[in-house]
Coordinates of all heavy atoms in Angstrom, one line a residue:
T1 N 22.0 -3.5 21.4 CA 22.2 -4.5 22.4 C 23.5 -4.1 23.1 O 24.3 -5.0 23.3 CB 22.0 -6.0 22.1 OG1 22.9 -6.1 21.0 CG2 20.5 -6.2 21.6
R2 N 23.9 -2.8 23.4 CA 25.1 -2.5 23.8 C 25.4 -3.0 25.3 O 26.6 -3.2 25.7 CB 25.2 -1.0 24.0 CG 25.3 -0.3 22.5 CD 25.4 1.2 22.7 NE 24.4 1.9 23.4 CZ 24.3 3.2 23.5 NH1 25.3 4.0 23.2 NH2 23.3 3.8 24.1
L3 N 24.3 -3.5 25.9 CA 24.5 -3.9 27.4 C 24.1 -5.3 27.5 O 23.8 -5.8 28.6 CB 23.7 -3.0 28.2 CG 24.1 -1.5 28.2 CD1 23.1 -0.7 29.0 CD2 25.4 -1.3 28.7
E4 N 24.2 -6.1 26.5 CA 23.8 -7.4 26.5 C 24.7 -8.3 27.4 O 25.9 -8.1 27.5 CB 24.0 -8.1 25.2 CG 23.4 -9.6 25.0 CD 21.9 -9.6 24.9 OE1 21.3 -8.7 24.4 OE2 21.4 -10.5 25.6
G5 N 24.1 -9.0 28.3 CA 24.9 -9.7 29.4 C 25.3 -9.0 30.6 O 25.9 -9.7 31.4
R6 N 25.0 -7.8 30.7 CA 25.3 -7.0 31.9 C 24.2 -6.9 32.8 O 23.1 -6.8 32.4 CB 25.9 -5.7 31.4 CG 27.1 -5.9 30.5 CD 27.9 -4.7 30.1 NE 28.9 -4.9 29.0 CZ 29.6 -4.1 28.4 NH1 29.6 -2.8 28.8 NH2 30.5 -4.5 27.6
V7 N 24.6 -6.6 34.1 CA 23.6 -6.4 35.0 C 23.7 -4.9 35.6 O 24.8 -4.5 35.9 CB 23.9 -7.5 36.2 CG1 22.9 -7.1 37.4 CG2 23.7 -8.8 35.8
A8 N 22.5 -4.2 35.7 CA 22.5 -2.8 36.1 C 21.6 -2.7 37.3 O 20.5 -3.1 37.3 CB 22.1 -2.0 35.0
L9 N 22.1 -2.2 38.4 CA 21.3 -1.7 39.5 C 21.0 -0.3 39.5 O 22.0 0.6 39.4 CB 22.0 -2.1 40.7 CG 21.2 -2.0 42.1 CD1 21.9 -3.0 43.1 CD2 21.3 -0.5 42.7
I10 N 19.7 0.1 39.6 CA 19.3 1.5 39.5 C 18.5 1.8 40.8 O 17.5 1.1 41.2 CB 18.5 1.7 38.3 CG1 19.1 1.1 37.0 CG2 18.0 3.1 38.1 CD1 18.2 1.0 35.8
T11 N 18.9 2.9 41.5 CA 18.2 3.3 42.6 C 17.0 4.3 42.3 O 17.2 5.0 41.3 CB 19.1 4.0 43.8 OG1 19.6 5.1 43.2 CG2 20.3 3.0 44.1
G12 N 15.9 4.2 43.0 CA 14.8 5.1 42.8 C 14.3 4.8 41.5 O 13.8 5.7 40.7
A13 N 14.0 3.5 41.1 CA 13.7 3.1 39.7 C 12.4 2.8 39.5 O 11.9 2.3 38.5 CB 14.6 2.0 39.3
A14 N 11.5 3.1 40.6 CA 10.1 2.9 40.4 C 9.3 3.8 39.7 O 8.2 3.6 39.2 CB 9.5 2.6 41.8
S15 N 9.9 4.9 39.4 CA 9.2 6.0 38.7 C 10.2 7.0 38.1 O 11.3 7.0 38.4 CB 8.2 6.6 39.7 OG 8.8 7.4 40.7
G16 N 9.6 7.9 37.3 CA 10.3 9.1 36.8 C 11.5 8.7 36.0 O 11.6 7.7 35.3
I17 N 12.7 9.4 36.2 CA 13.9 9.2 35.5 C 14.4 7.7 35.8 O 14.9 7.0 34.8 CB 15.0 10.2 36.0 CG1 14.5 11.6 35.4 CG2 16.4 9.8 35.4 CD1 15.4 12.6 36.0
G18 N 14.2 7.2 37.0 CA 14.8 5.9 37.3 C 14.1 4.8 36.5 O 14.7 4.0 36.0
R19 N 12.8 5.0 36.4 CA 12.0 4.0 35.5 C 12.3 4.1 34.1 O 12.6 3.0 33.5 CB 10.6 4.1 35.9 CG 9.6 3.1 34.8 CD 8.3 3.1 35.4 NE 7.5 2.2 34.5 CZ 6.4 1.5 34.8 NH1 5.9 1.7 36.0 NH2 5.9 0.7 33.9
A20 N 12.4 5.2 33.6 CA 12.9 5.5 32.2 C 14.2 4.8 31.9 O 14.5 4.3 30.9 CB 12.9 7.0 31.8
T21 N 15.1 5.0 33.0 CA 16.5 4.3 32.8 C 16.4 3.0 32.8 O 17.0 2.3 32.0 CB 17.3 4.9 34.0 OG1 17.5 6.3 33.8 CG2 18.7 4.3 34.0
A22 N 15.5 2.3 33.7 CA 15.4 0.9 33.8 C 14.9 0.3 32.4 O 15.3 -0.7 31.8 CB 14.5 0.4 34.8
E23 N 13.9 1.1 31.8 CA 13.3 0.7 30.5 C 14.4 0.7 29.4 O 14.6 -0.1 28.5 CB 12.2 1.5 30.3 CG 10.9 1.3 31.1 CD 9.8 2.4 30.9 OE1 10.1 3.4 30.3 OE2 8.8 2.2 31.5
R24 N 15.3 1.9 29.5 CA 16.2 2.0 28.3 C 17.3 0.9 28.5 O 17.7 0.4 27.4 CB 16.8 3.4 28.4 CG 17.9 3.7 27.4 CD 17.4 3.5 25.9 NE 18.5 3.7 25.0 CZ 18.7 4.8 24.3 NH1 17.8 5.9 24.5 NH2 19.6 4.9 23.3
L25 N 17.8 0.8 29.6 CA 18.9 -0.2 29.8 C 18.5 -1.5 29.4 O 19.2 -2.5 28.9 CB 19.5 -0.2 31.2 CG 20.1 1.2 31.8 CD1 21.0 1.0 33.0 CD2 21.0 1.7 30.6
A26 N 17.2 -2.0 29.9 CA 16.6 -3.2 29.5 C 16.5 -3.4 28.0 O 16.8 -4.5 27.6 CB 15.3 -3.5 30.3
S27 N 16.0 -2.3 27.4 CA 16.0 -2.4 26.0 C 17.3 -2.7 25.2 O 17.4 -3.2 24.1 CB 15.3 -1.1 25.4 OG 16.2 -0.1 25.3
E28 N 18.4 -2.3 26.0 CA 19.8 -2.4 25.3 C 20.4 -3.8 25.7 O 21.5 -4.1 25.6 CB 20.6 -1.4 25.6 CG 20.1 0.0 25.0 CD 21.1 1.0 24.4 OE1 22.3 0.5 24.5 OE2 20.7 2.2 24.4
G29 N 19.6 -4.6 26.4 CA 20.1 -5.9 26.7 C 20.4 -6.3 28.1 O 20.8 -7.5 28.4
A30 N 20.4 -5.2 29.0 CA 20.8 -5.4 30.4 C 19.7 -6.1 31.3 O 18.6 -6.0 31.0 CB 21.1 -4.1 30.9
T31 N 20.2 -6.9 32.2 CA 19.5 -7.4 33.2 C 19.4 -6.2 34.3 O 20.3 -5.7 34.6 CB 19.9 -8.5 34.0 OG1 19.9 -9.6 33.1 CG2 19.3 -8.9 35.2
V32 N 18.2 -5.8 34.6 CA 18.0 -4.7 35.4 C 17.4 -5.0 36.7 O 16.5 -5.7 36.9 CB 16.9 -3.6 34.7 CG1 16.6 -2.4 35.6 CG2 17.5 -3.1 33.3
V33 N 18.1 -4.4 37.8 CA 17.7 -4.5 39.1 C 17.1 -3.2 39.7 O 17.8 -2.2 39.7 CB 18.9 -4.9 40.1 CG1 18.4 -5.1 41.5 CG2 19.6 -6.1 39.6
V34 N 15.8 -3.2 39.6 CA 15.0 -2.0 40.0 C 15.0 -2.0 41.7 O 14.6 -3.0 42.3 CB 13.6 -2.2 39.5 CG1 12.7 -1.1 40.1 CG2 13.7 -2.2 38.0
T35 N 15.5 -0.9 42.1 CA 15.5 -0.8 43.6 C 14.7 0.6 43.9 O 14.7 1.6 43.3 CB 16.8 -0.7 44.2 OG1 17.5 0.5 44.0 CG2 17.8 -1.8 43.7
D36 N 14.1 0.6 45.1 CA 13.2 1.6 45.5 C 12.7 1.4 46.9 O 12.9 0.3 47.4 CB 12.0 1.9 44.5 CG 11.7 3.4 44.5 OD1 11.4 4.0 45.5 OD2 11.9 4.0 43.3
V37 N 12.0 2.4 47.5 CA 11.3 2.0 48.7 C 9.9 2.1 48.4 O 9.0 1.7 49.4 CB 11.5 3.2 49.8 CG1 12.9 3.1 50.1 CG2 11.2 4.6 49.3
Q38 N 9.4 2.4 47.1 CA 8.0 2.2 46.8 C 7.8 0.7 46.3 O 8.1 0.6 45.0 CB 7.8 3.2 45.7 CG 8.0 4.6 46.1 CD 7.7 5.6 44.9 OE1 6.6 5.9 44.6 NE2 8.6 6.2 44.2
D39 N 7.5 -0.1 47.1 CA 7.5 -1.6 46.7 C 6.4 -1.9 45.5 O 6.8 -2.5 44.6 CB 7.2 -2.3 47.9 CG 8.4 -2.3 48.9 OD1 9.5 -2.0 48.5 OD2 8.1 -2.6 50.2
E40 N 5.2 -1.4 45.7 CA 4.3 -1.6 44.7 C 4.6 -1.1 43.4 O 4.6 -1.9 42.4 CB 2.8 -1.1 45.3 CG 1.8 -1.5 44.3 CD 0.4 -1.0 44.8 OE1 0.3 -0.6 46.0 OE2 -0.6 -0.9 44.1
A41 N 5.1 0.1 43.3 CA 5.4 0.6 42.1 C 6.6 0.0 41.5 O 6.9 -0.3 40.3 CB 5.7 2.2 42.3
G42 N 7.6 -0.4 42.3 CA 8.7 -1.2 41.9 C 8.5 -2.5 41.3 O 8.9 -2.8 40.1
E43 N 7.5 -3.2 42.0 CA 7.2 -4.5 41.4 C 6.4 -4.3 40.1 O 6.6 -5.2 39.3 CB 6.2 -5.1 42.5 CG 7.0 -5.6 43.6 CD 7.9 -6.8 43.6 OE1 8.2 -7.3 42.5 OE2 8.5 -7.3 44.6
E44 N 5.7 -3.3 40.0 CA 4.9 -3.0 38.7 C 5.9 -2.7 37.6 O 5.7 -3.1 36.4 CB 3.9 -1.9 38.9 CG 2.9 -1.7 37.8 CD 3.4 -0.9 36.6 OE1 4.3 0.0 37.0 OE2 3.2 -1.2 35.5

């Protein structure tokens, strides 16, 4: 939980490296802000 209590904004986070990064940072305790232009994939 190295990122407990922290907020991370990730661009292009609906797929690929961005999504994997969102998953990893969330697993380490961060609140993740997923940003993208692919709204459906981002919401998913």
